[in-house]
Amino acid sequence: MKKKFILEAAMALALIGCVMLAACSSGDATVSSAPNFEVPPVTISSTSETQENTDTLTELSGSFHIERITQLGGQPIGLESETSISMEVAAQIGADILEHAFGVNLDGITIYMLYAAEQPEWGIAGQWQGGIMPEGTTFSEMAATYTFFLSAETGEFIEASYNPDAEIFAREGKTWVEIWEFIESLGVVDMGILSEEDGEKYARYALQLAEELNLFNSHVARARVMFDGEMLTMGLNENLEFEAIIMAHVQDEDGNEALIGFFRDSKKLRHLASEERLTFTSFVHDFETGVSTEEVIEIPTIFDWVSR
């Protein structure tokens, strides 16, 4: 079963983890040709247990549970289209990626699933979105530790991310207000400027990481760091400190592309994504005329390619 990655180029704090489920989409969600991640196919059990109430649909598949989010902020969430892949298949694809790339132990884990409907006026395709919450918490209580986005129509992977701080906040029993107050107390953090030497060093690490993840069908050929120093993204690390997230653009010998994000100091994997996120689309919608205009903007970089 082939999976595809896509990375969102934005500062992603763990407490926004559940917003990945709340926001019906982020950016242009169409999926083009992307790197392939080979994982063993997994058969969905046909004897899954089903429990339904007004809020959630829970199913057991393999070693993990699936709980569907049907309401958000008191508002009902629409159902997938007839041409969409099933929630069970989408959850299994996301689970395979999280297990292989991030080393997630799925035994007994609940994956919260949400269907984000297509928004044609914004050029946004339908998505399946999934998240794993910290142990002992539910979707409504805390941010997700792991998240993923899939094309609802094809099952192609759009994005995956890891938020280590979600576990810490849950362990300390912090409320949403306390989390916001803590983040505000950190103030503005200077991530520093990356030098040419930094660019080469991190690009070489990205090459190594892409090979270890078996991200492409062919060998990784080159990589370059994205964003200059003034545009570094950041996230809260396992020490609840802001740490720069290095984003690298990698290509294989066949020209397939992907983005890899990792914490600058710990080198821990933070994001995986396909070439869709090498650009982002700015939309302007005229609600009176119903006409949308868009501009495709390339992610800036001052760094050269580093070859193997």
Side-chain angles (χ1 to χ4, degrees):
M1 186 182 296
K2 295 183 177 179
K3 314 298 187 303
K4 312 205 174 182
F5 289 131
I6 294 187
L7 165 70
E8 184 172 74
M11 172 176 152
L13 301 177
L15 73 96
I16 308 300
C18 66
V19 178
M20 70 89 205
L21 292 167
C24 287
S25 178
S26 58
D28 184 357
T30 57
V31 178
S32 62
S33 60
N36 295 316
F37 193 152
E38 300 290 349
V39 294
V42 181
T43 302
I44 302 295
S45 172
S46 59
T47 59
S48 297
E49 299 175 5
T50 303
Q51 178 181 354
E52 186 173 3
N53 55 38
T54 57
D55 296 320
T56 60
L57 173 67
T58 305
E59 300 196 12
L60 177 64
S61 176
S63 63
F64 62 89
H65 300 268
I66 307 170
E67 184 164 327
R68 179 165 184 162
I69 306 301
T70 60
Q71 293 189 18
L72 203 61
Q75 299 299 316
I77 297 172
L79 299 176
E80 62 272 23
S81 69
E82 294 181 356
T83 58
S84 298
I85 64 172
S86 70
M87 177 182 68
E88 295 85 354
V89 170
Q92 190 68 72
I93 293 172
D96 289 343
I97 297 297
L98 295 182
E99 183 178 41
H100 186 96
F102 295 95
V104 180
N105 180 3
L106 296 171
D107 188 25
I109 290 294
T110 296
I111 299 179
Y112 291 87
M113 297 292 295
L114 178 150
Y115 176 75
E118 177 185 15
Q119 300 180 63
E121 69 274 19
W122 297 106
I124 297 173
Q127 294 183 7
W128 278 113
Q129 303 173 8
I132 294 178
M133 313 306 293
E135 184 177 358
T137 67
T138 65
F139 173 77
S140 62
E141 297 172 337
M142 181 55 60
T145 306
Y146 298 95
T147 61
F148 61 83
F149 297 75
L150 303 175
S151 164
E153 297 300 310
T154 65
E156 290 174 313
F157 211 84
I158 296 174
E159 180 181 355
S161 64
Y162 166 57
N163 303 288
D165 48 305
E167 296 283 353
I168 300 174
F169 286 136
R171 200 159 51 237
E172 295 181 356
K174 287 187 178 292
T175 65
W176 281 103
V177 172
E178 290 172 328
I179 293 173
W180 280 114
E181 289 176 347
F182 171 78
I183 291 175
E184 288 177 350
S185 72
L186 296 178
V188 178
V189 179
D190 182 5
M191 292 289 102
I193 302 298
L194 295 182
S195 65
E196 290 185 13
E197 182 179 355
D198 290 330
E200 179 176 354
K201 177 177 67 175
Y202 296 132
R204 293 200 178 281
Y205 179 73
L207 288 171
Q208 173 187 333
L209 191 55
E211 285 285 355
E212 291 175 354
L213 291 173
N214 191 27
L215 195 58
F216 301 104
N217 288 332
S218 62
H219 290 296
V220 181
R222 60 180 186 168
R224 60 178 176 173
V225 169
M226 307 304 292
F227 291 125
D228 59 34
E230 295 180 354
M231 296 186 66
L232 281 176
T233 61
M234 69 179 88
L236 288 174
N237 61 24
E238 293 172 327
N239 297 319
L240 290 183
E241 301 169 337
F242 276 133
E243 184 177 334
I245 298 171
I246 302 299
M247 291 175 42
H249 172 195
V250 295
Q251 287 185 343
D252 72 356
E253 295 171 337
D254 298 326
N256 296 307
E257 303 177 301
L259 285 170
I260 296 179
F262 52 89
F263 283 112
R264 178 177 60 187
D265 301 327
S266 67
K267 303 295 190 302
K268 196 168 185 66
L269 183 65
R270 179 67 169 77
H271 288 291
L272 285 173
S274 83
E275 76 270 24
E276 277 290 317
R277 294 300 190 251
L278 289 170
T279 62
F280 60 93
T281 305
S282 175
F283 289 95
V284 177
H285 183 69
D286 189 325
F287 288 95
E288 293 185 359
T289 64
V291 176
S292 296
T293 58
E294 61 183 69
E295 179 184 4
V296 178
I297 303 170
E298 293 187 359
I299 295 177
T301 183
I302 60 174
F303 299 103
D304 294 328
W305 288 103
V306 174
S307 299
R308 289 182 60 86

